[in-house]
């Protein structure tokens, strides 16, 4: 079992940057692919980015490609999401999760990101 805790959210103006962190407990963190998702009010949760267990491969939603960067530090049991050129439509609660096969699990509690125009 892995427990995930997100942090780094906040209020930022459009065009600004934030870096989210997702700290994991448990020795098996490095065996999981990891992902970031977000959920805006009244909308379904959507995929944002993912990274393989080694960090060698990443994937992004089209809406964030070129602006967001996912990375991980297995020595620190942490995955990051660097968010640049933020837009008001990026406002959401951001969650991290582990991936095994096609299944996402061990969701964190989320961190709020609000981008003002």
């Amino acid at each position: 079992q892995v427990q995930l805790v997100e942090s780094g959210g906040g209020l930022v103006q459009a065009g600004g940057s934030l870096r989210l962190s997702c700290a994991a407990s448990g020795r098996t963190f490095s065996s999981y692919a990891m992902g970031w998702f977000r959920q805006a009010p009244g909308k379904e949760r959507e995929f944002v980015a993912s990274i393989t267990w080694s960090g060698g491969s990443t994937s992004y939603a089209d809406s964030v490609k070129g602006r967001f960067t996912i990375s991980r530090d297995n020595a620190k049991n942490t995955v990051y999401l660097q968010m640049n050129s933020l837009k008001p439509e990026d406002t959401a609660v951001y969650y991290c999760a582990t991936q095994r096969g096609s299944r996402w699990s061990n969701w964190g509690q989320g961190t709020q990101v609000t981008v003002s125009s």
Side-chain angles (χ1 to χ4, degrees):
Q1 187 77 9
V2 175
Q3 290 186 319
L4 304 175
V5 179
E6 301 95 337
S7 62
L11 173 63
V12 64
Q13 288 188 330
S17 298
L18 284 173
R19 187 175 83 153
L20 306 183
S21 299
C22 171
S25 63
R27 294 186 224 173
T28 59
F29 170 77
S30 61
S31 68
Y32 289 100
M34 298 293 297
W36 285 96
F37 291 74
R38 66 188 182 186
Q39 187 167 20
K43 294 189 175 181
E44 298 283 321
R45 185 165 54 194
E46 64 175 359
F47 169 80
V48 174
S50 65
I51 188 167
T52 54
W53 68 270
S54 66
S57 181
T58 57
S59 180
Y60 297 92
D62 287 344
S63 58
V64 306
K65 208 170 286 185
R67 300 187 298 121
F68 290 11
T69 303
I70 188 171
S71 62
R72 68 189 295 162
D73 185 338
N74 286 342
K76 295 183 178 181
N77 278 11
T78 302
V79 63
Y80 304 98
L81 185 68
Q82 177 67 44
M83 306 187 295
N84 299 328
S85 302
L86 283 162
K87 304 175 181 180
E89 51 263 44
D90 294 318
T91 295
V93 178
Y94 284 71
Y95 300 89
C96 61
T98 60
Q99 185 187 30
R100 277 275 171 84
S102 61
R103 184 183 177 195
W104 294 97
S105 57
N106 298 313
W107 297 89
Q109 86 290 346
T111 186
Q112 176 71 47
V113 171
T114 303
V115 184
S116 63
S117 56

